[in-house]
Amino acid sequence: MREYKHLLLANKAWAAERLEENADYFTRQIVGQQPEFLWIGCSDSRVAPDQLTNTEPGGMFIHRNIANLVDPGDQNLMSVVQFAVEVLKVGHIIVCGHYACGGIQAALEGGVDGHVHDWLAIARNVVDNHRDELDALPEDQRANRLVELNVHDQLVQLARTDVVQKAFAAGQPLELHGWVYDLRDGLLKPLMEIDANTPLEAVTKPEKVLV
């Protein structure tokens, strides 16, 4: 059987299971969504946020890109952030990286071109911003440490966007969280948090997680 047909068969089985558990399952989905979380994560196929957090449909608004980058000039990302904050009124935004990230590895070592190379310019800026610390580490630890530093820099970048600053100024309940997912044990590791009372200039780098 051609591979894509497995997806269609799996979908039918999934839909049948949901209806067997609850006859109103899909009727409730039509009513709308009220997610509490916006997840900004990596596109890596091994890191599916709803699965690894056991979140049901409707519980999490999701945006994914290579290396979980926050580019204020990316209209795709910023429209997601605006809709999540201003319309859905999410209370939490999570920027989640993951160890063994190919995009982060490429930002550190190069070897890519075209669109991927252009996209990773932000991640290469993270490398430049933390060059001294990265160079001081054993080579086999640099990529995973860069994953952590990238989450830090992207979360601070997110906090500075006009959408988030407007929400903070209005007193809207909103917290930003920086996490890392570990492929080796399936666990999420919280690194940092930012809210309306956090002075961004004082946000320290996350402690290095033993890897």
Side-chain angles (χ1 to χ4, degrees), residues 173-185:
L174 181 63
E175 296 179 2
L176 313 183
H177 308 269
W179 295 354
V180 171
Y181 176 67
D182 196 331
L183 296 169
R184 297 164 299 185
D185 58 19

PDB file of all heavy atoms in Angstrom, residues 173-185:
ATOM      1  N   PRO A 173      -3.905  39.031  31.403  1.00  0.00           N
ATOM      2  CA  PRO A 173      -3.143  37.914  31.969  1.00  0.00           C
ATOM      3  C   PRO A 173      -2.412  37.150  30.872  1.00  0.00           C
ATOM      4  O   PRO A 173      -3.037  36.568  29.989  1.00  0.00           O
ATOM      5  CB  PRO A 173      -4.217  37.043  32.626  1.00  0.00           C
ATOM      6  CG  PRO A 173      -5.389  37.942  32.823  1.00  0.00           C
ATOM      7  CD  PRO A 173      -5.347  38.921  31.683  1.00  0.00           C
ATOM      8  N   LEU A 174      -1.084  37.185  30.912  1.00  0.00           N
ATOM      9  CA  LEU A 174      -0.286  36.522  29.888  1.00  0.00           C
ATOM     10  C   LEU A 174       1.088  36.212  30.444  1.00  0.00           C
ATOM     11  O   LEU A 174       1.754  37.095  30.991  1.00  0.00           O
ATOM     12  CB  LEU A 174      -0.149  37.422  28.652  1.00  0.00           C
ATOM     13  CG  LEU A 174       0.640  36.845  27.475  1.00  0.00           C
ATOM     14  CD1 LEU A 174      -0.051  35.601  26.902  1.00  0.00           C
ATOM     15  CD2 LEU A 174       0.836  37.890  26.376  1.00  0.00           C
ATOM     16  N   GLU A 175       1.492  34.971  30.322  1.00  0.00           N
ATOM     17  CA  GLU A 175       2.814  34.543  30.755  1.00  0.00           C
ATOM     18  C   GLU A 175       3.521  33.842  29.599  1.00  0.00           C
ATOM     19  O   GLU A 175       2.896  33.109  28.826  1.00  0.00           O
ATOM     20  CB  GLU A 175       2.713  33.586  31.950  1.00  0.00           C
ATOM     21  CG  GLU A 175       2.119  34.214  33.188  1.00  0.00           C
ATOM     22  CD  GLU A 175       2.005  33.222  34.337  1.00  0.00           C
ATOM     23  OE1 GLU A 175       2.421  32.050  34.174  1.00  0.00           O
ATOM     24  OE2 GLU A 175       1.492  33.612  35.402  1.00  0.00           O
ATOM     25  N   LEU A 176       4.832  34.084  29.493  1.00  0.00           N
ATOM     26  CA  LEU A 176       5.652  33.456  28.468  1.00  0.00           C
ATOM     27  C   LEU A 176       6.568  32.434  29.131  1.00  0.00           C
ATOM     28  O   LEU A 176       7.143  32.699  30.182  1.00  0.00           O
ATOM     29  CB  LEU A 176       6.488  34.499  27.727  1.00  0.00           C
ATOM     30  CG  LEU A 176       5.776  35.769  27.242  1.00  0.00           C
ATOM     31  CD1 LEU A 176       6.760  36.642  26.468  1.00  0.00           C
ATOM     32  CD2 LEU A 176       4.558  35.442  26.410  1.00  0.00           C
ATOM     33  N   HIS A 177       6.704  31.291  28.490  1.00  0.00           N
ATOM     34  CA  HIS A 177       7.489  30.200  29.062  1.00  0.00           C
ATOM     35  C   HIS A 177       8.499  29.676  28.033  1.00  0.00           C
ATOM     36  O   HIS A 177       8.144  29.481  26.867  1.00  0.00           O
ATOM     37  CB  HIS A 177       6.580  29.044  29.481  1.00  0.00           C
ATOM     38  CG  HIS A 177       5.435  29.451  30.350  1.00  0.00           C
ATOM     39  ND1 HIS A 177       5.507  29.472  31.728  1.00  0.00           N
ATOM     40  CD2 HIS A 177       4.182  29.888  30.036  1.00  0.00           C
ATOM     41  CE1 HIS A 177       4.355  29.877  32.223  1.00  0.00           C
ATOM     42  NE2 HIS A 177       3.531  30.149  31.220  1.00  0.00           N
ATOM     43  N   GLY A 178       9.717  29.442  28.464  1.00  0.00           N
ATOM     44  CA  GLY A 178      10.734  28.836  27.626  1.00  0.00           C
ATOM     45  C   GLY A 178      11.032  27.423  28.104  1.00  0.00           C
ATOM     46  O   GLY A 178      11.443  27.229  29.243  1.00  0.00           O
ATOM     47  N   TRP A 179      10.815  26.449  27.246  1.00  0.00           N
ATOM     48  CA  TRP A 179      11.000  25.037  27.586  1.00  0.00           C
ATOM     49  C   TRP A 179      11.918  24.363  26.571  1.00  0.00           C
ATOM     50  O   TRP A 179      12.100  24.846  25.446  1.00  0.00           O
ATOM     51  CB  TRP A 179       9.662  24.287  27.587  1.00  0.00           C
ATOM     52  CG  TRP A 179       8.674  24.713  28.627  1.00  0.00           C
ATOM     53  CD1 TRP A 179       8.860  25.602  29.642  1.00  0.00           C
ATOM     54  CD2 TRP A 179       7.314  24.261  28.732  1.00  0.00           C
ATOM     55  NE1 TRP A 179       7.711  25.726  30.384  1.00  0.00           N
ATOM     56  CE2 TRP A 179       6.750  24.922  29.855  1.00  0.00           C
ATOM     57  CE3 TRP A 179       6.535  23.374  28.006  1.00  0.00           C
ATOM     58  CZ2 TRP A 179       5.426  24.704  30.247  1.00  0.00           C
ATOM     59  CZ3 TRP A 179       5.221  23.159  28.405  1.00  0.00           C
ATOM     60  CH2 TRP A 179       4.680  23.813  29.516  1.00  0.00           C
ATOM     61  N   VAL A 180      12.458  23.224  26.973  1.00  0.00           N
ATOM     62  CA  VAL A 180      13.198  22.358  26.057  1.00  0.00           C
ATOM     63  C   VAL A 180      12.666  20.934  26.204  1.00  0.00           C
ATOM     64  O   VAL A 180      12.427  20.469  27.330  1.00  0.00           O
ATOM     65  CB  VAL A 180      14.724  22.369  26.343  1.00  0.00           C
ATOM     66  CG1 VAL A 180      15.433  21.296  25.533  1.00  0.00           C
ATOM     67  CG2 VAL A 180      15.316  23.728  25.997  1.00  0.00           C
ATOM     68  N   TYR A 181      12.463  20.281  25.084  1.00  0.00           N
ATOM     69  CA  TYR A 181      12.014  18.891  25.071  1.00  0.00           C
ATOM     70  C   TYR A 181      13.218  17.988  24.849  1.00  0.00           C
ATOM     71  O   TYR A 181      14.042  18.226  23.966  1.00  0.00           O
ATOM     72  CB  TYR A 181      10.991  18.681  23.954  1.00  0.00           C
ATOM     73  CG  TYR A 181      10.536  17.256  23.786  1.00  0.00           C
ATOM     74  CD1 TYR A 181       9.780  16.631  24.771  1.00  0.00           C
ATOM     75  CD2 TYR A 181      10.853  16.534  22.637  1.00  0.00           C
ATOM     76  CE1 TYR A 181       9.351  15.318  24.615  1.00  0.00           C
ATOM     77  CE2 TYR A 181      10.421  15.228  22.470  1.00  0.00           C
ATOM     78  CZ  TYR A 181       9.674  14.623  23.465  1.00  0.00           C
ATOM     79  OH  TYR A 181       9.251  13.319  23.299  1.00  0.00           O
ATOM     80  N   ASP A 182      13.303  16.954  25.679  1.00  0.00           N
ATOM     81  CA  ASP A 182      14.424  16.015  25.594  1.00  0.00           C
ATOM     82  C   ASP A 182      13.957  14.733  24.910  1.00  0.00           C
ATOM     83  O   ASP A 182      13.134  13.988  25.466  1.00  0.00           O
ATOM     84  CB  ASP A 182      14.958  15.704  26.994  1.00  0.00           C
ATOM     85  CG  ASP A 182      16.337  15.066  26.968  1.00  0.00           C
ATOM     86  OD1 ASP A 182      16.651  14.368  25.976  1.00  0.00           O
ATOM     87  OD2 ASP A 182      17.110  15.264  27.927  1.00  0.00           O
ATOM     88  N   LEU A 183      14.462  14.486  23.721  1.00  0.00           N
ATOM     89  CA  LEU A 183      14.074  13.298  22.963  1.00  0.00           C
ATOM     90  C   LEU A 183      14.449  12.011  23.671  1.00  0.00           C
ATOM     91  O   LEU A 183      13.845  10.966  23.431  1.00  0.00           O
ATOM     92  CB  LEU A 183      14.736  13.316  21.578  1.00  0.00           C
ATOM     93  CG  LEU A 183      14.333  14.446  20.630  1.00  0.00           C
ATOM     94  CD1 LEU A 183      15.273  14.470  19.437  1.00  0.00           C
ATOM     95  CD2 LEU A 183      12.900  14.264  20.163  1.00  0.00           C
ATOM     96  N   ARG A 184      15.427  12.061  24.547  1.00  0.00           N
ATOM     97  CA  ARG A 184      15.942  10.843  25.168  1.00  0.00           C
ATOM     98  C   ARG A 184      15.031  10.284  26.246  1.00  0.00           C
ATOM     99  O   ARG A 184      15.039   9.071  26.496  1.00  0.00           O
ATOM    100  CB  ARG A 184      17.332  11.104  25.751  1.00  0.00           C
ATOM    101  CG  ARG A 184      18.375  11.466  24.697  1.00  0.00           C
ATOM    102  CD  ARG A 184      19.608  12.100  25.319  1.00  0.00           C
ATOM    103  NE  ARG A 184      19.275  13.347  26.023  1.00  0.00           N
ATOM    104  CZ  ARG A 184      20.185  14.140  26.569  1.00  0.00           C
ATOM    105  NH1 ARG A 184      21.458  13.824  26.513  1.00  0.00           N
ATOM    106  NH2 ARG A 184      19.816  15.252  27.177  1.00  0.00           N
ATOM    107  N   ASP A 185      14.243  11.150  26.887  1.00  0.00           N
ATOM    108  CA  ASP A 185      13.357  10.647  27.935  1.00  0.00           C
ATOM    109  C   ASP A 185      11.916  11.132  27.781  1.00  0.00           C
ATOM    110  O   ASP A 185      11.045  10.778  28.582  1.00  0.00           O
ATOM    111  CB  ASP A 185      13.883  11.021  29.326  1.00  0.00           C
ATOM    112  CG  ASP A 185      14.055  12.528  29.520  1.00  0.00           C
ATOM    113  OD1 ASP A 185      13.455  13.311  28.756  1.00  0.00           O
ATOM    114  OD2 ASP A 185      14.794  12.915  30.441  1.00  0.00           O
TER     115      ASP A 185
END
